[in-house]
Amino acid sequence: MKPILVINSGSSSLKYQLIDMLTEEVLAQGLIERVSDHTVAFAHMLKEIASSELPLDALTPVAVGHRVVHGGNAFSQATVVTDDVLLRIHELSSLAPLHNPGNLAGIEAAIVAFPSIQHVAVFDTAFHQSLSPASYTYAIDTAVAAEHHIRRYGFHGTSHSYVASRTAEFLGRDLAELKIIVLHLGNGASACAIDGGRSVETSMGMTPLEGLVMGTRSGDLDPAILMYLSRVANYTPDQLDELLNRESGLVGLTGLGDMRDVYRASEAGDERATLALEVYAHRIRHYLGAYFALLGGLDAVVFTAGVGENSADVRSRVIAPLAHLGLTLDASRNDAPRTSEAGGARQISVTDAPVRVLVIPTNEELEIARQALALLEA
Ligand code: ADP
């Protein structure tokens, strides 16, 4: 066995998976919530794993892979954790105050628990470090931007990179020759244009707020709305943060954050819910068209994450109007339930469509474990 422990540590939760990298089988997994002390949460996790009746060699991981949200400009790939790396992740907390401190607390607790094995940090931003200046530069005063590290970074990189590789595998093609748009539609959502395996454009920006309509985040809006609200209604920065990150998106439009509930409401005749579904799909199509133009060609559009993998109706709302771009769904393939064949990966476009439309389940934990293992063996 070659177990790798994958840790996704947030400010108040700890998610883990123990994966045997010889078979890529998940040996144990869990979620510990309402965490106030990460060392205590870690002890709790170790107890859970120990009580899961695994063979002894499964209980001694060869490495730990850690999800870290913001790697800024500093990290363009997975990196072995050193004191210097810990310091840099800490410094990047100003860019991701909701995420990096919780990630860091998890790494520190893990180092105490497993002091003699390698810890690897895998960054959500790393895959997008290939963005060109034309794509990552916001058109604001360059001195202000430079002083405050304001640029687009992009997120969900671990998922986009995993799904791109799986797409190549599924199509039996070389990733280096493919132009792909990945739509990661979960609670958070982002689109990514991938050319030859490299991210060339993505919808999240300096923070995960930009881009698509999400469960609780607004995605794109006119930034002047923020000044307007602070002037006419005295919104503070914290209140604006709350409004746009937690009270917008599907929640803002319908009062419901879960896509399944939005569907139920729409089917029951709630017009706000129906409008929300239209806004959601319209924004995705807007990005699809833009990315098709930027890529200068397109081999595949790939749906992934909770909504993308499970909602045939969202996929159909997005793709059905795009036949003029060479995207044509096969309704029965789109509606067919997921099977275990090819790990749930499937084509949902008609056989001869110029652009393939696929559903490929994402697996960020496995990708983190693979990247940790690759570093360990390098
Ligand atoms: P996270 O971003 O937290 O990892 P997921 O990728 O699990 O989230 O996606 C969660 C979203 O997926 C929720 O909005 C949920 O409603 C949606 N979802 C899950 N199953 C379905 C389904 N069968 N139909 C529509 N939406 C679904």
PDB file of all heavy atoms in Angstrom, residues 8 15 67 156 184-189 214-215 217 250 257-264 280 304-314 362 364-365, ligand 1:
ATOM      1  N   ASN A   8      -8.174  18.945   3.372  1.00  0.00           N
ATOM      2  CA  ASN A   8      -8.773  20.201   2.937  1.00  0.00           C
ATOM      3  C   ASN A   8      -9.277  20.881   4.205  1.00  0.00           C
ATOM      4  O   ASN A   8     -10.358  20.580   4.689  1.00  0.00           O
ATOM      5  CB  ASN A   8      -9.912  19.923   1.952  1.00  0.00           C
ATOM      6  CG  ASN A   8     -10.520  21.211   1.408  1.00  0.00           C
ATOM      7  OD1 ASN A   8     -10.213  22.306   1.897  1.00  0.00           O
ATOM      8  ND2 ASN A   8     -11.373  21.075   0.431  1.00  0.00           N
ATOM      9  N   LYS A  15     -11.776  18.451   6.052  1.00  0.00           N
ATOM     10  CA  LYS A  15     -12.180  17.330   5.193  1.00  0.00           C
ATOM     11  C   LYS A  15     -10.942  16.507   4.914  1.00  0.00           C
ATOM     12  O   LYS A  15      -9.870  17.075   4.677  1.00  0.00           O
ATOM     13  CB  LYS A  15     -12.701  17.882   3.852  1.00  0.00           C
ATOM     14  CG  LYS A  15     -14.195  17.709   3.654  1.00  0.00           C
ATOM     15  CD  LYS A  15     -14.581  17.769   2.191  1.00  0.00           C
ATOM     16  CE  LYS A  15     -15.129  19.132   1.823  1.00  0.00           C
ATOM     17  NZ  LYS A  15     -15.560  19.255   0.448  1.00  0.00           N
ATOM     18  N   ARG A  67      -4.708  21.014   0.459  1.00  0.00           N
ATOM     19  CA  ARG A  67      -5.297  22.007  -0.426  1.00  0.00           C
ATOM     20  C   ARG A  67      -5.030  23.401   0.156  1.00  0.00           C
ATOM     21  O   ARG A  67      -5.296  23.666   1.326  1.00  0.00           O
ATOM     22  CB  ARG A  67      -6.806  21.793  -0.523  1.00  0.00           C
ATOM     23  CG  ARG A  67      -7.444  22.889  -1.329  1.00  0.00           C
ATOM     24  CD  ARG A  67      -8.944  22.809  -1.322  1.00  0.00           C
ATOM     25  NE  ARG A  67      -9.478  23.848  -2.183  1.00  0.00           N
ATOM     26  CZ  ARG A  67     -10.577  24.530  -1.914  1.00  0.00           C
ATOM     27  NH1 ARG A  67     -11.249  24.294  -0.809  1.00  0.00           N
ATOM     28  NH2 ARG A  67     -11.001  25.461  -2.742  1.00  0.00           N
ATOM     29  N   HIS A 156     -10.093  27.003  -8.438  1.00  0.00           N
ATOM     30  CA  HIS A 156     -10.551  25.692  -8.926  1.00  0.00           C
ATOM     31  C   HIS A 156      -9.521  25.052  -9.865  1.00  0.00           C
ATOM     32  O   HIS A 156      -9.866  24.158 -10.637  1.00  0.00           O
ATOM     33  CB  HIS A 156     -11.881  25.805  -9.725  1.00  0.00           C
ATOM     34  CG  HIS A 156     -13.097  26.035  -8.888  1.00  0.00           C
ATOM     35  ND1 HIS A 156     -14.164  26.758  -9.362  1.00  0.00           N
ATOM     36  CD2 HIS A 156     -13.425  25.633  -7.635  1.00  0.00           C
ATOM     37  CE1 HIS A 156     -15.114  26.801  -8.429  1.00  0.00           C
ATOM     38  NE2 HIS A 156     -14.685  26.134  -7.379  1.00  0.00           N
ATOM     39  N   HIS A 184     -16.855  24.189 -14.291  1.00  0.00           N
ATOM     40  CA  HIS A 184     -16.929  23.611 -12.946  1.00  0.00           C
ATOM     41  C   HIS A 184     -18.092  24.302 -12.241  1.00  0.00           C
ATOM     42  O   HIS A 184     -17.992  25.462 -11.850  1.00  0.00           O
ATOM     43  CB  HIS A 184     -15.606  23.850 -12.194  1.00  0.00           C
ATOM     44  CG  HIS A 184     -15.618  23.357 -10.778  1.00  0.00           C
ATOM     45  ND1 HIS A 184     -14.836  22.316 -10.336  1.00  0.00           N
ATOM     46  CD2 HIS A 184     -16.329  23.759  -9.696  1.00  0.00           C
ATOM     47  CE1 HIS A 184     -15.067  22.095  -9.047  1.00  0.00           C
ATOM     48  NE2 HIS A 184     -15.967  22.967  -8.634  1.00  0.00           N
ATOM     49  N   LEU A 185     -19.218  23.573 -12.118  1.00  0.00           N
ATOM     50  CA  LEU A 185     -20.435  24.158 -11.547  1.00  0.00           C
ATOM     51  C   LEU A 185     -20.783  23.446 -10.250  1.00  0.00           C
ATOM     52  O   LEU A 185     -21.459  22.414 -10.259  1.00  0.00           O
ATOM     53  CB  LEU A 185     -21.598  24.042 -12.556  1.00  0.00           C
ATOM     54  CG  LEU A 185     -21.321  24.504 -14.007  1.00  0.00           C
ATOM     55  CD1 LEU A 185     -22.535  24.252 -14.885  1.00  0.00           C
ATOM     56  CD2 LEU A 185     -20.938  25.988 -14.023  1.00  0.00           C
ATOM     57  N   GLY A 186     -20.293  23.967  -9.143  1.00  0.00           N
ATOM     58  CA  GLY A 186     -20.630  23.425  -7.821  1.00  0.00           C
ATOM     59  C   GLY A 186     -21.287  24.538  -7.029  1.00  0.00           C
ATOM     60  O   GLY A 186     -22.013  25.350  -7.591  1.00  0.00           O
ATOM     61  N   ASN A 187     -21.050  24.578  -5.702  1.00  0.00           N
ATOM     62  CA  ASN A 187     -21.498  25.751  -4.941  1.00  0.00           C
ATOM     63  C   ASN A 187     -20.739  26.973  -5.429  1.00  0.00           C
ATOM     64  O   ASN A 187     -21.316  28.011  -5.682  1.00  0.00           O
ATOM     65  CB  ASN A 187     -21.284  25.530  -3.449  1.00  0.00           C
ATOM     66  CG  ASN A 187     -22.336  24.615  -2.876  1.00  0.00           C
ATOM     67  OD1 ASN A 187     -23.516  24.796  -3.147  1.00  0.00           O
ATOM     68  ND2 ASN A 187     -21.924  23.621  -2.116  1.00  0.00           N
ATOM     69  N   GLY A 188     -19.413  26.820  -5.514  1.00  0.00           N
ATOM     70  CA  GLY A 188     -18.620  27.794  -6.262  1.00  0.00           C
ATOM     71  C   GLY A 188     -18.635  27.354  -7.721  1.00  0.00           C
ATOM     72  O   GLY A 188     -18.830  26.177  -8.002  1.00  0.00           O
ATOM     73  N   ALA A 189     -18.457  28.283  -8.645  1.00  0.00           N
ATOM     74  CA  ALA A 189     -18.497  27.888 -10.056  1.00  0.00           C
ATOM     75  C   ALA A 189     -17.500  28.718 -10.849  1.00  0.00           C
ATOM     76  O   ALA A 189     -17.344  29.914 -10.594  1.00  0.00           O
ATOM     77  CB  ALA A 189     -19.900  28.085 -10.624  1.00  0.00           C
ATOM     78  N   MET A 214     -23.102  31.906  -8.680  1.00  0.00           N
ATOM     79  CA  MET A 214     -22.800  30.744  -7.826  1.00  0.00           C
ATOM     80  C   MET A 214     -23.903  30.540  -6.801  1.00  0.00           C
ATOM     81  O   MET A 214     -24.928  31.222  -6.857  1.00  0.00           O
ATOM     82  CB  MET A 214     -21.445  30.960  -7.160  1.00  0.00           C
ATOM     83  CG  MET A 214     -20.391  31.382  -8.161  1.00  0.00           C
ATOM     84  SD  MET A 214     -18.754  31.542  -7.502  1.00  0.00           S
ATOM     85  CE  MET A 214     -18.106  32.756  -8.677  1.00  0.00           C
ATOM     86  N   GLY A 215     -23.697  29.612  -5.870  1.00  0.00           N
ATOM     87  CA  GLY A 215     -24.713  29.344  -4.853  1.00  0.00           C
ATOM     88  C   GLY A 215     -25.032  30.597  -4.045  1.00  0.00           C
ATOM     89  O   GLY A 215     -26.199  30.970  -3.883  1.00  0.00           O
ATOM     90  N   ARG A 217     -22.614  33.496  -4.282  1.00  0.00           N
ATOM     91  CA  ARG A 217     -21.828  34.629  -4.801  1.00  0.00           C
ATOM     92  C   ARG A 217     -22.434  35.161  -6.092  1.00  0.00           C
ATOM     93  O   ARG A 217     -22.909  34.399  -6.933  1.00  0.00           O
ATOM     94  CB  ARG A 217     -20.389  34.207  -5.083  1.00  0.00           C
ATOM     95  CG  ARG A 217     -19.621  33.760  -3.868  1.00  0.00           C
ATOM     96  CD  ARG A 217     -18.141  33.516  -4.233  1.00  0.00           C
ATOM     97  NE  ARG A 217     -17.505  32.697  -3.230  1.00  0.00           N
ATOM     98  CZ  ARG A 217     -16.914  31.535  -3.484  1.00  0.00           C
ATOM     99  NH1 ARG A 217     -16.851  31.050  -4.717  1.00  0.00           N
ATOM    100  NH2 ARG A 217     -16.351  30.860  -2.506  1.00  0.00           N
ATOM    101  N   LEU A 250     -27.575  32.343  -6.361  1.00  0.00           N
ATOM    102  CA  LEU A 250     -28.885  31.682  -6.276  1.00  0.00           C
ATOM    103  C   LEU A 250     -29.628  32.101  -5.013  1.00  0.00           C
ATOM    104  O   LEU A 250     -30.840  32.343  -5.035  1.00  0.00           O
ATOM    105  CB  LEU A 250     -28.712  30.154  -6.305  1.00  0.00           C
ATOM    106  CG  LEU A 250     -28.126  29.546  -7.588  1.00  0.00           C
ATOM    107  CD1 LEU A 250     -27.960  28.032  -7.426  1.00  0.00           C
ATOM    108  CD2 LEU A 250     -29.015  29.868  -8.800  1.00  0.00           C
ATOM    109  N   GLY A 257     -30.040  28.319  -1.787  1.00  0.00           N
ATOM    110  CA  GLY A 257     -28.662  28.228  -2.268  1.00  0.00           C
ATOM    111  C   GLY A 257     -28.367  26.923  -2.989  1.00  0.00           C
ATOM    112  O   GLY A 257     -27.346  26.796  -3.663  1.00  0.00           O
ATOM    113  N   ASP A 258     -29.239  25.954  -2.811  1.00  0.00           N
ATOM    114  CA  ASP A 258     -28.990  24.628  -3.379  1.00  0.00           C
ATOM    115  C   ASP A 258     -29.758  24.505  -4.697  1.00  0.00           C
ATOM    116  O   ASP A 258     -30.966  24.723  -4.740  1.00  0.00           O
ATOM    117  CB  ASP A 258     -29.460  23.563  -2.368  1.00  0.00           C
ATOM    118  CG  ASP A 258     -29.011  22.172  -2.783  1.00  0.00           C
ATOM    119  OD1 ASP A 258     -29.403  21.712  -3.881  1.00  0.00           O
ATOM    120  OD2 ASP A 258     -28.258  21.547  -2.017  1.00  0.00           O
ATOM    121  N   MET A 259     -29.045  24.136  -5.751  1.00  0.00           N
ATOM    122  CA  MET A 259     -29.655  24.097  -7.074  1.00  0.00           C
ATOM    123  C   MET A 259     -30.878  23.184  -7.119  1.00  0.00           C
ATOM    124  O   MET A 259     -31.862  23.467  -7.801  1.00  0.00           O
ATOM    125  CB  MET A 259     -28.606  23.663  -8.107  1.00  0.00           C
ATOM    126  CG  MET A 259     -29.076  23.695  -9.525  1.00  0.00           C
ATOM    127  SD  MET A 259     -29.695  25.321 -10.018  1.00  0.00           S
ATOM    128  CE  MET A 259     -28.271  26.020 -10.825  1.00  0.00           C
ATOM    129  N   ARG A 260     -30.860  22.089  -6.372  1.00  0.00           N
ATOM    130  CA  ARG A 260     -32.015  21.182  -6.372  1.00  0.00           C
ATOM    131  C   ARG A 260     -33.262  21.887  -5.836  1.00  0.00           C
ATOM    132  O   ARG A 260     -34.359  21.706  -6.347  1.00  0.00           O
ATOM    133  CB  ARG A 260     -31.718  19.940  -5.518  1.00  0.00           C
ATOM    134  CG  ARG A 260     -30.796  18.968  -6.240  1.00  0.00           C
ATOM    135  CD  ARG A 260     -30.209  17.959  -5.283  1.00  0.00           C
ATOM    136  NE  ARG A 260     -29.285  18.620  -4.357  1.00  0.00           N
ATOM    137  CZ  ARG A 260     -28.343  17.985  -3.686  1.00  0.00           C
ATOM    138  NH1 ARG A 260     -28.212  16.692  -3.791  1.00  0.00           N
ATOM    139  NH2 ARG A 260     -27.537  18.655  -2.889  1.00  0.00           N
ATOM    140  N   ASP A 261     -33.066  22.719  -4.809  1.00  0.00           N
ATOM    141  CA  ASP A 261     -34.205  23.456  -4.238  1.00  0.00           C
ATOM    142  C   ASP A 261     -34.704  24.509  -5.224  1.00  0.00           C
ATOM    143  O   ASP A 261     -35.903  24.757  -5.317  1.00  0.00           O
ATOM    144  CB  ASP A 261     -33.791  24.136  -2.925  1.00  0.00           C
ATOM    145  CG  ASP A 261     -33.416  23.117  -1.866  1.00  0.00           C
ATOM    146  OD1 ASP A 261     -33.935  21.988  -1.935  1.00  0.00           O
ATOM    147  OD2 ASP A 261     -32.586  23.451  -0.989  1.00  0.00           O
ATOM    148  N   VAL A 262     -33.772  25.118  -5.958  1.00  0.00           N
ATOM    149  CA  VAL A 262     -34.187  26.117  -6.945  1.00  0.00           C
ATOM    150  C   VAL A 262     -35.061  25.444  -8.006  1.00  0.00           C
ATOM    151  O   VAL A 262     -36.089  25.977  -8.420  1.00  0.00           O
ATOM    152  CB  VAL A 262     -32.964  26.799  -7.587  1.00  0.00           C
ATOM    153  CG1 VAL A 262     -33.406  27.789  -8.668  1.00  0.00           C
ATOM    154  CG2 VAL A 262     -32.120  27.513  -6.528  1.00  0.00           C
ATOM    155  N   TYR A 263     -34.686  24.235  -8.422  1.00  0.00           N
ATOM    156  CA  TYR A 263     -35.496  23.504  -9.401  1.00  0.00           C
ATOM    157  C   TYR A 263     -36.879  23.180  -8.862  1.00  0.00           C
ATOM    158  O   TYR A 263     -37.880  23.360  -9.543  1.00  0.00           O
ATOM    159  CB  TYR A 263     -34.776  22.225  -9.864  1.00  0.00           C
ATOM    160  CG  TYR A 263     -34.016  22.501 -11.129  1.00  0.00           C
ATOM    161  CD1 TYR A 263     -32.675  22.791 -11.101  1.00  0.00           C
ATOM    162  CD2 TYR A 263     -34.691  22.564 -12.346  1.00  0.00           C
ATOM    163  CE1 TYR A 263     -31.994  23.111 -12.260  1.00  0.00           C
ATOM    164  CE2 TYR A 263     -34.020  22.888 -13.499  1.00  0.00           C
ATOM    165  CZ  TYR A 263     -32.668  23.152 -13.447  1.00  0.00           C
ATOM    166  OH  TYR A 263     -32.015  23.489 -14.589  1.00  0.00           O
ATOM    167  N   ARG A 264     -36.905  22.710  -7.603  1.00  0.00           N
ATOM    168  CA  ARG A 264     -38.213  22.379  -7.000  1.00  0.00           C
ATOM    169  C   ARG A 264     -39.100  23.610  -6.994  1.00  0.00           C
ATOM    170  O   ARG A 264     -40.281  23.551  -7.348  1.00  0.00           O
ATOM    171  CB  ARG A 264     -38.015  21.851  -5.578  1.00  0.00           C
ATOM    172  CG  ARG A 264     -37.814  20.347  -5.568  1.00  0.00           C
ATOM    173  CD  ARG A 264     -37.601  19.796  -4.158  1.00  0.00           C
ATOM    174  NE  ARG A 264     -36.589  18.756  -4.247  1.00  0.00           N
ATOM    175  CZ  ARG A 264     -35.420  18.773  -3.629  1.00  0.00           C
ATOM    176  NH1 ARG A 264     -35.084  19.787  -2.829  1.00  0.00           N
ATOM    177  NH2 ARG A 264     -34.563  17.795  -3.801  1.00  0.00           N
ATOM    178  N   TYR A 280     -28.548  32.119 -14.555  1.00  0.00           N
ATOM    179  CA  TYR A 280     -27.443  31.174 -14.331  1.00  0.00           C
ATOM    180  C   TYR A 280     -26.910  30.640 -15.670  1.00  0.00           C
ATOM    181  O   TYR A 280     -25.702  30.658 -15.928  1.00  0.00           O
ATOM    182  CB  TYR A 280     -27.973  30.040 -13.453  1.00  0.00           C
ATOM    183  CG  TYR A 280     -26.957  29.040 -12.964  1.00  0.00           C
ATOM    184  CD1 TYR A 280     -26.311  29.217 -11.744  1.00  0.00           C
ATOM    185  CD2 TYR A 280     -26.664  27.885 -13.698  1.00  0.00           C
ATOM    186  CE1 TYR A 280     -25.396  28.280 -11.276  1.00  0.00           C
ATOM    187  CE2 TYR A 280     -25.751  26.945 -13.229  1.00  0.00           C
ATOM    188  CZ  TYR A 280     -25.125  27.150 -12.023  1.00  0.00           C
ATOM    189  OH  TYR A 280     -24.218  26.227 -11.564  1.00  0.00           O
ATOM    190  N   THR A 304     -18.627  19.705 -15.084  1.00  0.00           N
ATOM    191  CA  THR A 304     -18.181  18.954 -13.907  1.00  0.00           C
ATOM    192  C   THR A 304     -18.705  19.599 -12.627  1.00  0.00           C
ATOM    193  O   THR A 304     -19.312  20.664 -12.667  1.00  0.00           O
ATOM    194  CB  THR A 304     -16.642  18.821 -13.886  1.00  0.00           C
ATOM    195  OG1 THR A 304     -16.282  17.806 -12.942  1.00  0.00           O
ATOM    196  CG2 THR A 304     -15.955  20.133 -13.506  1.00  0.00           C
ATOM    197  N   ALA A 305     -18.480  18.945 -11.493  1.00  0.00           N
ATOM    198  CA  ALA A 305     -18.902  19.339 -10.129  1.00  0.00           C
ATOM    199  C   ALA A 305     -20.410  19.131  -9.946  1.00  0.00           C
ATOM    200  O   ALA A 305     -21.108  18.767 -10.904  1.00  0.00           O
ATOM    201  CB  ALA A 305     -18.480  20.753  -9.790  1.00  0.00           C
ATOM    202  N   GLY A 306     -20.905  19.373  -8.751  1.00  0.00           N
ATOM    203  CA  GLY A 306     -22.259  18.986  -8.341  1.00  0.00           C
ATOM    204  C   GLY A 306     -23.350  19.276  -9.355  1.00  0.00           C
ATOM    205  O   GLY A 306     -24.094  18.377  -9.744  1.00  0.00           O
ATOM    206  N   VAL A 307     -23.457  20.529  -9.793  1.00  0.00           N
ATOM    207  CA  VAL A 307     -24.496  20.889 -10.751  1.00  0.00           C
ATOM    208  C   VAL A 307     -24.141  20.345 -12.138  1.00  0.00           C
ATOM    209  O   VAL A 307     -24.990  19.752 -12.824  1.00  0.00           O
ATOM    210  CB  VAL A 307     -24.676  22.420 -10.815  1.00  0.00           C
ATOM    211  CG1 VAL A 307     -25.680  22.799 -11.898  1.00  0.00           C
ATOM    212  CG2 VAL A 307     -25.094  22.977  -9.457  1.00  0.00           C
ATOM    213  N   GLY A 308     -22.918  20.521 -12.572  1.00  0.00           N
ATOM    214  CA  GLY A 308     -22.506  20.111 -13.909  1.00  0.00           C
ATOM    215  C   GLY A 308     -22.639  18.611 -14.128  1.00  0.00           C
ATOM    216  O   GLY A 308     -23.019  18.160 -15.206  1.00  0.00           O
ATOM    217  N   GLU A 309     -22.336  17.825 -13.071  1.00  0.00           N
ATOM    218  CA  GLU A 309     -22.393  16.371 -13.216  1.00  0.00           C
ATOM    219  C   GLU A 309     -23.816  15.830 -13.102  1.00  0.00           C
ATOM    220  O   GLU A 309     -24.128  14.788 -13.669  1.00  0.00           O
ATOM    221  CB  GLU A 309     -21.526  15.701 -12.122  1.00  0.00           C
ATOM    222  CG  GLU A 309     -20.041  15.945 -12.318  1.00  0.00           C
ATOM    223  CD  GLU A 309     -19.211  15.555 -11.094  1.00  0.00           C
ATOM    224  OE1 GLU A 309     -19.628  14.646 -10.338  1.00  0.00           O
ATOM    225  OE2 GLU A 309     -18.148  16.168 -10.889  1.00  0.00           O
ATOM    226  N   ASN A 310     -24.662  16.557 -12.363  1.00  0.00           N
ATOM    227  CA  ASN A 310     -25.970  15.975 -12.015  1.00  0.00           C
ATOM    228  C   ASN A 310     -27.176  16.607 -12.673  1.00  0.00           C
ATOM    229  O   ASN A 310     -28.236  16.000 -12.712  1.00  0.00           O
ATOM    230  CB  ASN A 310     -26.164  16.029 -10.497  1.00  0.00           C
ATOM    231  CG  ASN A 310     -25.166  15.155  -9.768  1.00  0.00           C
ATOM    232  OD1 ASN A 310     -25.102  13.962 -10.029  1.00  0.00           O
ATOM    233  ND2 ASN A 310     -24.362  15.756  -8.924  1.00  0.00           N
ATOM    234  N   SER A 311     -27.049  17.836 -13.146  1.00  0.00           N
ATOM    235  CA  SER A 311     -28.250  18.497 -13.649  1.00  0.00           C
ATOM    236  C   SER A 311     -28.301  18.491 -15.180  1.00  0.00           C
ATOM    237  O   SER A 311     -27.707  19.339 -15.854  1.00  0.00           O
ATOM    238  CB  SER A 311     -28.335  19.926 -13.131  1.00  0.00           C
ATOM    239  OG  SER A 311     -29.488  20.533 -13.685  1.00  0.00           O
ATOM    240  N   ALA A 312     -29.047  17.515 -15.713  1.00  0.00           N
ATOM    241  CA  ALA A 312     -29.228  17.447 -17.169  1.00  0.00           C
ATOM    242  C   ALA A 312     -29.920  18.710 -17.661  1.00  0.00           C
ATOM    243  O   ALA A 312     -29.646  19.195 -18.762  1.00  0.00           O
ATOM    244  CB  ALA A 312     -30.054  16.218 -17.527  1.00  0.00           C
ATOM    245  N   ASP A 313     -30.796  19.274 -16.832  1.00  0.00           N
ATOM    246  CA  ASP A 313     -31.532  20.453 -17.274  1.00  0.00           C
ATOM    247  C   ASP A 313     -30.623  21.681 -17.390  1.00  0.00           C
ATOM    248  O   ASP A 313     -30.734  22.447 -18.346  1.00  0.00           O
ATOM    249  CB  ASP A 313     -32.695  20.752 -16.335  1.00  0.00           C
ATOM    250  CG  ASP A 313     -33.588  21.821 -16.919  1.00  0.00           C
ATOM    251  OD1 ASP A 313     -34.400  21.483 -17.799  1.00  0.00           O
ATOM    252  OD2 ASP A 313     -33.438  23.002 -16.543  1.00  0.00           O
ATOM    253  N   VAL A 314     -29.717  21.873 -16.446  1.00  0.00           N
ATOM    254  CA  VAL A 314     -28.772  22.991 -16.572  1.00  0.00           C
ATOM    255  C   VAL A 314     -27.934  22.807 -17.835  1.00  0.00           C
ATOM    256  O   VAL A 314     -27.754  23.740 -18.624  1.00  0.00           O
ATOM    257  CB  VAL A 314     -27.856  23.123 -15.330  1.00  0.00           C
ATOM    258  CG1 VAL A 314     -26.652  24.016 -15.627  1.00  0.00           C
ATOM    259  CG2 VAL A 314     -28.633  23.688 -14.148  1.00  0.00           C
ATOM    260  N   THR A 362     -15.368  15.435 -11.427  1.00  0.00           N
ATOM    261  CA  THR A 362     -14.087  15.931 -10.946  1.00  0.00           C
ATOM    262  C   THR A 362     -13.659  15.130  -9.720  1.00  0.00           C
ATOM    263  O   THR A 362     -14.454  14.392  -9.133  1.00  0.00           O
ATOM    264  CB  THR A 362     -14.150  17.434 -10.615  1.00  0.00           C
ATOM    265  OG1 THR A 362     -12.814  17.920 -10.403  1.00  0.00           O
ATOM    266  CG2 THR A 362     -15.011  17.725  -9.390  1.00  0.00           C
ATOM    267  N   GLU A 364     -10.940  16.387  -6.917  1.00  0.00           N
ATOM    268  CA  GLU A 364      -9.831  17.237  -6.483  1.00  0.00           C
ATOM    269  C   GLU A 364      -8.912  16.526  -5.492  1.00  0.00           C
ATOM    270  O   GLU A 364      -7.697  16.722  -5.519  1.00  0.00           O
ATOM    271  CB  GLU A 364     -10.395  18.529  -5.862  1.00  0.00           C
ATOM    272  CG  GLU A 364     -11.017  19.426  -6.918  1.00  0.00           C
ATOM    273  CD  GLU A 364     -11.860  20.566  -6.351  1.00  0.00           C
ATOM    274  OE1 GLU A 364     -13.055  20.324  -6.085  1.00  0.00           O
ATOM    275  OE2 GLU A 364     -11.332  21.665  -6.170  1.00  0.00           O
ATOM    276  N   GLU A 365      -9.509  15.665  -4.650  1.00  0.00           N
ATOM    277  CA  GLU A 365      -8.679  14.958  -3.663  1.00  0.00           C
ATOM    278  C   GLU A 365      -7.673  14.042  -4.359  1.00  0.00           C
ATOM    279  O   GLU A 365      -6.494  14.006  -4.001  1.00  0.00           O
ATOM    280  CB  GLU A 365      -9.557  14.124  -2.714  1.00  0.00           C
ATOM    281  CG  GLU A 365     -10.381  14.943  -1.751  1.00  0.00           C
ATOM    282  CD  GLU A 365     -11.640  15.534  -2.385  1.00  0.00           C
ATOM    283  OE1 GLU A 365     -11.986  15.133  -3.532  1.00  0.00           O
ATOM    284  OE2 GLU A 365     -12.263  16.393  -1.758  1.00  0.00           O
TER     285      GLU A 365
HETATM  286  P1  ADP B   1     -18.810  22.276  -3.693  1.00  0.00           P
HETATM  287  O1  ADP B   1     -18.567  23.429  -4.580  1.00  0.00           O
HETATM  288  O2  ADP B   1     -19.218  22.672  -2.307  1.00  0.00           O
HETATM  289  O3  ADP B   1     -17.799  21.168  -3.761  1.00  0.00           O
HETATM  290  P2  ADP B   1     -20.535  20.503  -5.254  1.00  0.00           P
HETATM  291  O4  ADP B   1     -19.604  20.389  -6.393  1.00  0.00           O
HETATM  292  O5  ADP B   1     -20.855  19.282  -4.464  1.00  0.00           O
HETATM  293  O6  ADP B   1     -20.190  21.663  -4.251  1.00  0.00           O
HETATM  294  O7  ADP B   1     -21.925  21.087  -5.844  1.00  0.00           O
HETATM  295  C1  ADP B   1     -22.990  21.409  -4.991  1.00  0.00           C
HETATM  296  C2  ADP B   1     -24.163  21.846  -5.850  1.00  0.00           C
HETATM  297  O8  ADP B   1     -24.526  20.766  -6.731  1.00  0.00           O
HETATM  298  C3  ADP B   1     -25.405  22.222  -5.067  1.00  0.00           C
HETATM  299  O9  ADP B   1     -25.959  23.427  -5.558  1.00  0.00           O
HETATM  300  C4  ADP B   1     -26.346  21.076  -5.381  1.00  0.00           C
HETATM  301  O10 ADP B   1     -27.685  21.500  -5.383  1.00  0.00           O
HETATM  302  C5  ADP B   1     -25.939  20.712  -6.774  1.00  0.00           C
HETATM  303  N1  ADP B   1     -26.460  19.405  -7.148  1.00  0.00           N
HETATM  304  C6  ADP B   1     -26.145  18.187  -6.660  1.00  0.00           C
HETATM  305  N2  ADP B   1     -26.919  17.231  -7.232  1.00  0.00           N
HETATM  306  C7  ADP B   1     -27.749  17.857  -8.085  1.00  0.00           C
HETATM  307  C8  ADP B   1     -28.784  17.449  -8.980  1.00  0.00           C
HETATM  308  N3  ADP B   1     -29.127  16.160  -9.086  1.00  0.00           N
HETATM  309  N4  ADP B   1     -29.425  18.384  -9.696  1.00  0.00           N
HETATM  310  C9  ADP B   1     -29.115  19.683  -9.588  1.00  0.00           C
HETATM  311  N5  ADP B   1     -28.145  20.128  -8.789  1.00  0.00           N
HETATM  312  C10 ADP B   1     -27.477  19.248  -8.038  1.00  0.00           C
END
